Each structure stands twice: as C-alpha cells, then as structure tokens.
Amino acid sequence: MPLVKEQRSSPDPAAIIDFPPEASSLAIRGLSLAYGDKTALRNLTLRVPRHRVTAFIGPSGCGKSTLLRVLNRLHDLNDEVVREGEVLLEGEDIHAPEVAVAELRRRVGMVFQSPNPFPMSIHDNVAFGLRLQGGLSKRKRDDIIEWALRSAALWDEVKDRLRASAWSLSGGQQQRLVIARTLAVGPEVLLLDEPASALDPISTLKIEELIRNLKSHLTLVLVTHNMQQAARVSDYTAFLQQGELVEYAPTDALFTNPRLARTENYITGRMA
Amino acid sequence: MRGGVTKTAASRRLRLPRGEGAGAWLCAGSVALSLLALLALLVLLTVRGLGHFWPSPVALVTLEDGRQLAGEGVREVPLADGDGLERLYRTGNRDLDGERWAWVRVSAIEAVGYPADLVVVERRRWGRAIGHLVAVQGAGGERLEGEAAWTALEARLAELGTLRDARDRLREEVILPLAGRRDDEAAARELEAAHARLRELQAAMAGGRLELATADGGTLTVPLAQALGAYRPNAMSPLDRLAAWGEGVWRFLSEGPRAANTAGGVWPAIFGTVLMVMLMSLLVTPFGVLAAIYLNEVAHQGRLTRLVRIAVRNLAGVPSIVYGVFGLGVFVYGIGGRLDSWFFEAALPSPTFGTGGLLWASLTLALLTLPVVIVATEEGLARIPDQQREGALALGATRLEMLSRVVLPMAAPAMLTGVILAVARAAGEVAPLMLVGVAKLAPQVPVDGDFPFLHLERKFMHLGYHIFDAAFHGGDVQAAMPLVYATALLLVLVILVLNLTAIFLRHHLSTRHGALTRR
Ligand SMILES: Nc1ncnc2c1ncn2[C@@H]1O[C@H](COP(=O)(O)OP(=O)(O)O)[C@@H](O)[C@H]1O
Ligand SMILES: [Mg+2]
C-alpha cells in the first residue's frame, strides 16, 4: 500500500534545482513518511550539495524537522513511523541493513532547536562523542576538543573554565557548545534544526557567522523559521508545504524571484 | 527600591478578600498543629526515654507505722476515694519482696530523707539493690566496714570492669577466630593458652561480696561478680550525675539486653536494624532502578505498560503483613527449605535457611519497598527532557551508552529519593519481620569474625520489635516503659541518620551534575 494516497499537486520539475551526483553529499529519492496514519512527508526527491548551506523553510508543521530526523535515522526508535523511499549519503543507502546507526550518526551530526548540553563539564560535553569511540590518547582528545571549540567560535570564552558545568553557560554559548560537541566527532554533514530560534539576536548572529565558516569543510542543512536568516546564510533554499517539496532554488533566486505563486505568497507573508 | 517592593507586597496581602484570609489562617493553623504534634512526640520520647538514665536522688521514706522504704519518687495520682494523693516509688531489692514498685499514701508519710550514704547497686540479676553499705568482703575473706568499705567497693568494681572487658576481648578476638581451625596444631596450642588465660581471668573475677542493710531492716548480700556498678545517688554532684547519665546512655547503646529485654542495652537491636535496612537498600535499588528503566525507557508505551505501572503503584498500598506472609511462604519455606535440602542436609532437621533470618527479612522488605523505588525513579526519568536522550544518540551513542552516561546520572537524585523513601518505610516496619526473621533475643549479632563474617541465615534483633516485646511481653511493664521510650527515640534517630545519609548522598550527586539537575 503506498504511503501517499493522493499527491496534492504534482511537483513542478522546473521549480526544483538538481545537482550532479558527484557534487552532492545527500540524495533523497521518493521519500515519504507517516506517523501512524498521519502523513508528514510526501514523496520528496532532492539532492543536497556538498560543502554548501542548504536551508529548508516552510510553515510550522510542514515536516522540516521530520525530514532532518530521517537524515540521521532518529526515527528508528519510534515504531509508529512508516517510511518509504531512500536516502543516500555519498551514494550509500543510509537505511541499508549493513549500515551501523551509530556510525551514521557520527557522519551526520545534528543540532536541535533548544540547546541540550549534558549535565557535565564543558570539557566532558565535547569529549562525550570521542569517549564513545574510544581509542584516543588524552593528549589527542584534548587537541580535538580545542579544535572543535575553536571551530565553534567558543574557545576564547571557555578556555579558562573547561571544568565548569556546561549548564553555567548562556543559551547562545550552550548552542555553540553543542555544535562543538557535534564537530568533535568529525561529521561530514551537519543538520541544524532552528538552531537560533531560542537565542537572542547577538547570539543568533554568532551562530550564523559560524554556519558560514563551517561550510568550507561541511555540508550544512539548516531548518529555519526566519526568512532573513535563510537569506543571510544559505546558498540554496527549499520550500516545503504540507510535507511536499514545492520549490528548491539558489537562495537569491528563490527570495527575489520565486517561480511559483505558493512560494511567493509564503515568502511575502513571512517577510512582511 | 527593595523597601518599596515589600510594601507593595504587604499592602496586596492586606487587600486579600476575607474568605481567602480565613483559608490562609486555616492552612497555617493546621501546619502549626501538625508541627506541634510532632514536637510533642519528640519531647515525650526524649524526656521519658533519656530521663530514665538520670540518677535522681533516692528517698528514704518513713511511714506513720514506722516502716521504711527507699526509692525514687516517680509520680503522684489522686486516690480513688478522692481523699488525698498516692505516690509511686521505684524501689529495688526485688529478690527480697518480689516488688520493684511501691504505692504509698502521701498522708501516711511521716518523713522523707535523703541520706548521703545510701548505695544503689546495679546487679546482673534481680535488678537494683538499695541500702546502706555495711561491709565489703574481698576475695581473700578480709572484711572492710564504714567509709573504707565504699572506697574498696568502688576500686574493686572498676577492677572487675577492666577484667570483664579483657575477658570479652579475649573471647571475641582470640578464642572465636581460633575455634574454627581445630585441625591446625599451632592454632590448637594457641587456643589452649587462651583458654588458660580465660580461666585465670575468671578466677580473678570470682569471690567477694557486699552486704547492704536495707530500708526495711533486712540484710542483703550481693556477690561482687553479680554487681555491674554502684553509686551513691544522694551524694552526687550535678557533674557526677551528668557523668553517670552519660555512662547510662552509653551502656544502653552499647550493651545487650538483660532481664527478658526489660533492662540493659539495645546494641544488637541497633545493629540488626541498620544492617537489615542497608541490605534491603542494596537489594531494592538495582531491581527498582532496572524495573523503572524498563518501564520508562525500553517498554513500548502501550496499554500493557500503563497497566503494569498502575499495578506497581497499587502494590505500594498493600499492607505490610501481607508481604510478611508472602516472605514466609516463598522465601523461608519455599526457597529456604529448598536450599536446606540441597546444601545443608547434614544439619537437618534443624533448619539453616529454612527459617526466618536476616536475608529473608531484607528480601521481604526489599519487595515491600520496591514500588516506592520504581515510582520515584520513573518520575525522575520522565523529567529528563527527550532532547538529552536525542543529543546523546545524535553523537553516535548506542541506547545503552545513552542510558548509562546521560540518563542514569541525571536520574540519580530521583533514584536516591526513592531509596530514602524506601529506607524510611523499611526501618519502621515491624509486622512482616515477625514472620520472616526477627528475634526476641539474639545477642549474637549477624556479623562476626567467623567465616563468612556476614551470617545471612541468622536471626537478628530489631528496634521496632524490641519496643513491642519490651512493652508487652516483659514481666514488669513499669520497669520496661522508660526503655520503651528510649528505644522508640533511638528508632526515630536511627531512621533520621539513615535518611540524612541518603539525603547527603543525593545532594552530593546533584551538585556534581550542576544546578539544573534539581529542576
Ligand atoms: N513524534 C510524532 N508523532 C506524531 N506526529 C508527529 C510527530 N512529530 C511530528 N509530528 C507531526 O508531523 C508533522 C510535521 O512535523 P514537524 O516535522 O515537526 O514540522 P516542522 O518541523 O516543519 O514544524 C506535524 O503535523 C506534526 O504534528
Ligand atoms: Mg520543527
């Protein structure tokens, strides 16, 4: 039985940009997903370009978080979820039986909406993923921790209090700590689900700058509610509505000259 | 600025509608009442319990008809015919007249005096002896009278105390450990020497006696080996009294019971209570925590899980005696009987594990407190945001790693809260213990120098049961009452200490994991 009973509107191929396989790190093909009998994603097909920032925008409840969670298999634990279609990471199916979930999650890191540092020291938070892997000398681990904190633009603020509780940091610092924690395990792809929505404007700007810097060696996927933010940091933007991919284009083009009226309505409504 | 704020708050409070004000008063009143009731309980236990050890002056009462008696005044009650008062005296010399208490009509008293040379002797049997010291006879037969007798008595009693300590130490530290190694020749020789030394000590303690002239004109002879201590209650300075009080309290805490639990100390009961509660905690914590983790983290959250959860909550309400019956049937007769027939056949028909004992009692109480630990841990687990779990998974943690490294440390304070509640409940439980292993008298504590050091099959004493036994099963309830109060106070204190330990642990854990753990 197909998951999607009726396609609300057939996707307009001209409104959806494609990338050559060798330039993309993720490929999503015919992905549909339902929570029980409630469909959340409908037949998505798209590629995510390597070492670029791709933003997903769309109204609340359109399935953005659901999509991100598919990409690192966080749905595995929910036995209500039914999925169809495939997701390829560098050409390999992430749902293939031989793929180790833990390994996949290290390659595809995820940062959530509200900062979720563990109740341990700053140092231990960043060391968490490294300790799980084991096999690293303390020296090496400390080097990686410093590198990760520097990459997350947090090192200068915390280098003198690495042993302090992570919960003593401000919200913005906590979110950067979570990013550093994720970077430390060396992901290829970083998924960010509204990473700045719980933060103040200055912290938001810091996170945005960080995202721009990280794309030199990472593929970033950003979900955001904030149109300006998508416009500021992303190279490509995909617009989702009711679980469907409506339009996917270079960010400039999508915001200044959307092809479809649905996209334009949403953007002008949100921008106003 | 601050003052301004307070003022606003105060004026707002004043503007409360009448009904609400009355409600607040009602609540505050009931809080105050509850606290008062608790305070009254503690004060009663403290005064009655600890007051017992205070050496109060001993009166020498002369009655109208010329008879005399010696004892401490305890209380006065109006006579039944409404005509004057009657006073209760706590006397001694039970071996002479079989009584330790005397009711005296106040109007029949001619004179009350407090002679400084009145002597009270604590004895191993027959309780106290009271009288004037006439003479002390040493082991060699030399006889001392007057003040010299008192000096000699004090010296000899101190000596006897030292000898007694030496004997007990010899028994516990040398003879008992050696007794298990009979086939070893060197050990056998050592044991022989130790027994010789024991006989020497016993010989040194034997002999001698003291003579008292009692108030009713008789003479009482007490062998010195029977005397545990002697004092002159009317000649003591307040400091002496305090010292005697301290010694009395210490002996109560450190010695075993005497005279069918109506005198002596409660050390084996303290030890048994604490040991049993600690064993219970060790048993209940892993089971409770694992069960809670299964219910909250692993099981599919469907109807069955909900049903199990409700059942667990309801188990907490099952009367404790029911657990006792279960423990007796399943642990003692079922498992214990089986163990006996497999491993302790040589000892049959006398049971080893097939009778109540420390292990079965701890297990029964662990079962009894399991729901408390499960519920508290589950609540702690439910309070941990899912984002913490997902954060760990997203870093490549397996589910087990996520649970052990993130979830469990965060739930530790809640787990300990569960253990605290379990300890509080278990330490005060008596009813089920009567079925599964508590003993009226078990002077041998379940831990000693014999392999395997902790004797899980032994019966043990318990403060709660000791209270019950001393209050209702002793021959002399009047004499036992102060000990009952003191034991009750002690039980409250033991529970308090056990709880404080757990609270301290929890605090330690939650500060280690940062302030937000206590959210
Ligand atoms: N765990 C879940 N169980 C059932 N339905 C869910 C669950 N998570 C999300 N949904 C539903 O799926 C749809 C998409 O949700 P989501 O991906 O969170 O949207 P977005 O992130 O775009 O706001 C929503 O209608 C939401 O109600
Ligand atoms: Mg979302």
Side-chain angles (χ1 to χ4, degrees):
Chain A
M1 191 183 74
L3 254 180
V4 183
K5 284 151 214 137
E6 23 82 63
Q7 196 79 15
R8 307 239 161 146
S9 55
S10 59
D12 180 350
I16 292 172
I17 188 175
D18 199 10
F19 301 93
E22 62 276 10
S24 46
S25 64
L26 285 164
I28 298 164
R29 290 210 295 241
L31 180 69
S32 300
L33 186 141
Y35 295 102
D37 48 11
K38 188 170 181 303
T39 308
L41 296 177
R42 295 164 198 273
N43 200 10
L44 300 185
T45 300
L46 70 145
R47 287 183 206 274
V48 177
R50 187 180 297 120
H51 296 186
R52 295 287 181 275
V53 180
T54 305
F56 284 96
I57 60 171
S60 199
C62 70
K64 306 180 295 291
S65 301
T66 304
L67 176 58
L68 282 204
R69 295 163 73 88
V70 173
L71 300 184
N72 77 348
R73 289 181 59 177
L74 266 187
H75 286 308
D76 279 14
L77 286 183
N78 187 344
D79 30 275
E80 238 193 359
V81 169
V82 195
R83 178 187 45 81
E84 233 173 42
E86 42 180 30
V87 176
L88 307 181
L89 173 63
E90 301 297 344
E92 291 167 49
D93 184 1
I94 64 168
H95 293 100
E98 68 273 12
V99 170
V101 186
E103 172 62 22
L104 170 76
R105 291 191 183 133
R106 279 197 284 271
R107 290 177 65 190
V108 182
M110 179 141 179
V111 172
F112 298 85
Q113 183 166 356
S114 51
N116 59 348
F118 302 130
M120 341 169 156
S121 69
I122 295 168
H123 173 274
D124 288 351
N125 260 280
V126 186
F128 188 89
L130 298 172
R131 289 201 172 119
L132 292 176
Q133 295 175 50
L136 283 176
S137 71
K138 189 173 156 14
R139 265 281 295 294
K140 188 90 178 50
R141 204 164 56 212
D142 286 347
D143 286 347
I144 297 179
I145 288 171
E146 178 174 345
W147 167 83
L149 284 168
R150 279 188 196 282
S151 308
L154 191 60
W155 176 253
D156 291 331
E157 289 158 66
V158 301
K159 61 170 186 259
D160 299 323
R161 49 180 186 135
L162 290 174
R163 298 286 159 194
S165 166
W167 285 0
S168 66
L169 297 173
S170 74
Q173 289 173 321
Q174 288 189 8
Q175 195 63 301
R176 278 179 282 145
L177 176 66
V178 171
I179 293 175
R181 181 174 84 180
T182 312
L183 292 178
V185 294
E188 302 158 33
V189 180
L190 186 58
L191 311 172
L192 302 139
D193 191 352
E194 305 192 34
S197 67
L199 305 182
D200 60 278
I202 295 181
S203 302
T204 303
L205 286 181
K206 281 192 181 154
I207 300 270
E208 288 178 8
E209 192 187 326
L210 178 58
I211 293 173
R212 274 194 296 268
N213 292 339
L214 286 175
K215 73 175 175 186
S216 64
H217 62 283
L218 282 180
T219 302
L220 290 115
V221 180
L222 170 72
V223 163
T224 178
H225 243 83
N226 180 329
M227 297 301 110
Q228 283 90 346
Q229 186 172 67
R232 279 195 298 266
V233 300
S234 69
D235 302 301
Y236 300 93
T237 300
F239 171 54
L240 298 180
Q241 204 170 30
Q242 293 183 321
E244 288 171 354
L245 180 60
V246 177
E247 189 165 344
Y248 184 20
T251 300
D252 289 345
L254 190 105
F255 279 101
T256 53
N257 191 13
R259 266 170 186 273
L260 301 181
R262 282 165 76 187
T263 316
E264 186 169 1
N265 287 343
Y266 178 72
I267 293 173
T268 48
R270 294 285 302 182
M271 285 289 204
Chain B
M1 194 61 232
R2 232 195 204 166
V5 171
T6 336
K7 213 172 186 180
T8 339
S11 49
R12 192 172 303 146
R13 196 171 308 146
L14 285 180
R15 261 187 272 120
L16 274 177
R18 250 216 198 117
E20 236 169 281
W25 274 109
L26 207 66
C27 296
S30 51
V31 168
L33 209 68
S34 319
L35 287 181
L36 259 170
L38 282 178
L39 199 70
L41 173 90
L42 285 180
V43 167
L44 175 81
L45 292 184
T46 313
V47 170
R48 289 281 176 88
L50 294 182
H52 169 68
F53 301 103
W54 186 260
S56 26
V58 174
L60 184 63
V61 182
T62 314
L63 301 178
E64 276 172 338
D65 57 9
R67 282 189 300 135
Q68 280 192 320
L69 68 92
E72 299 108 325
V74 180
R75 61 172 182 269
E76 287 180 354
V77 291
L79 276 169
D81 48 18
D83 166 25
L85 294 171
E86 200 177 21
R87 191 181 291 162
L88 177 67
Y89 280 99
R90 174 172 174 239
T91 64
N93 307 345
R94 190 151 59 95
D95 39 341
L96 293 187
D97 53 11
E99 293 294 337
R100 259 195 283 191
W101 305 90
W103 283 103
V104 177
R105 204 181 256 266
V106 173
S107 56
I109 295 176
E110 177 130 330
V112 177
Y114 294 91
D117 62 345
L118 216 52
V119 172
V120 176
V121 181
E122 296 282 357
R123 292 178 296 179
R124 200 180 292 282
R125 294 185 61 216
W126 299 114
R128 315 182 302 167
I130 304 180
H132 294 281
L133 185 62
V134 177
V136 171
Q137 195 161 351
E142 69 282 11
R143 192 179 150 93
L144 293 166
E145 284 179 29
E147 198 52 34
W150 173 247
T151 326
L153 179 63
E154 273 191 314
R156 178 64 183 156
L157 286 180
E159 209 174 281
L160 279 173
T162 323
L163 288 170
R164 215 175 289 132
D165 284 349
R167 180 197 61 192
D168 292 346
R169 237 175 304 128
L170 185 68
R171 270 203 191 129
E172 268 167 41
E173 290 167 18
V174 184
I175 297 185
L176 269 177
L178 283 175
R181 309 177 6 215
R182 266 177 223 292
D183 29 318
D184 181 345
E185 212 160 286
R189 239 173 296 128
E190 249 178 89
L191 191 64
E192 193 53 46
H195 273 300
R197 171 99 189 94
L198 189 68
R199 279 191 294 275
E200 260 169 53
L201 280 172
Q202 256 148 359
M205 284 161 63
R209 57 198 160 92
L210 63 88
E211 274 168 39
L212 290 177
T214 58
D216 55 7
T219 311
L220 191 59
T221 310
V222 181
L224 285 183
Q226 283 283 322
L228 296 170
Y231 61 101
R232 295 208 271 196
N234 299 338
M236 290 168 101
S237 69
L239 217 62
D240 288 340
R241 281 181 209 280
L242 194 66
W245 178 82
E247 201 195 313
V249 171
W250 171 246
R251 292 215 328 231
F252 177 68
L253 294 179
S254 63
E255 287 181 359
R258 281 183 281 127
N261 289 357
T262 59
V266 290
W267 169 243
I270 300 177
F271 193 90
T273 308
V274 172
L275 186 66
M276 193 270 300
V277 168
M278 292 204 304
L279 267 177
M280 184 274 320
S281 313
L282 282 184
L283 290 168
V284 76
T285 311
F287 281 113
V289 169
L290 285 178
I293 289 178
Y294 181 79
L295 281 179
N296 204 64
E297 307 278 327
V298 183
H300 176 74
Q301 298 298 314
R303 194 179 301 165
L304 186 66
T305 309
R306 266 207 306 281
L307 210 69
V308 170
R309 199 168 278 144
I310 292 171
V312 165
R313 263 152 228 251
N314 280 318
L315 273 181
V318 172
S320 54
I321 190 77
V322 175
Y323 285 95
V325 172
F326 178 84
L328 182 68
V330 174
F331 296 144
V332 177
Y333 294 151
I335 303 177
R338 209 61 46 85
L339 283 179
D340 274 0
S341 63
W342 289 339
F343 302 111
F344 301 97
E345 236 186 316
L348 284 175
S350 83
T352 310
F353 276 102
T355 174
L358 184 60
L359 178 65
W360 303 139
S362 306
L363 259 176
T364 306
L365 286 195
L367 202 66
L368 172 89
T369 52
L370 195 58
V372 180
V373 177
I374 295 180
V375 169
T377 309
E378 258 214 284
E379 275 166 8
L381 289 173
R383 269 205 303 274
I384 298 173
D386 271 342
Q387 289 163 1
Q388 292 284 335
R389 298 185 179 84
E390 288 179 344
L393 291 177
L395 287 171
T398 62
R399 203 145 150 196
L400 194 65
E401 287 166 337
M402 166 198 69
L403 282 175
S404 63
R405 298 187 187 209
V406 175
V407 173
L408 276 189
M410 283 181 86
M415 272 153 43
L416 275 167
T417 305
V419 176
I420 291 171
L421 293 172
V423 164
R425 171 130 199 233
E429 225 24 284
V430 179
L433 296 182
M434 299 207 274
L435 298 179
V436 292
V438 85
K440 176 184 164 67
L441 189 65
Q444 230 181 346
V445 292
V447 173
D448 61 24
D450 279 345
F451 185 80
F453 311 118
L454 173 63
H455 301 275
L456 290 173
E457 79 288 356
R458 271 192 203 163
K459 289 195 184 292
F460 63 101
M461 292 183 71
H462 185 274
L463 285 171
Y465 184 70
H466 192 76
I467 293 174
F468 173 71
D469 186 64
F472 295 109
H473 293 228
D476 189 346
V477 177
Q478 289 276 23
M481 259 350 254
L483 289 185
V484 168
Y485 284 117
T487 313
L489 179 68
L490 199 60
L491 182 57
V492 173
L493 290 180
V494 164
I495 295 175
L496 196 72
V497 168
L498 285 168
N499 274 318
L500 284 179
T501 316
I503 289 171
F504 171 80
L505 253 168
R506 179 178 61 176
H507 180 76
H508 181 73
L509 276 176
S510 55
T511 40
R512 210 184 68 201
H513 288 296
L516 280 175
T517 324
R518 267 173 280 148
R519 81 178 64 195

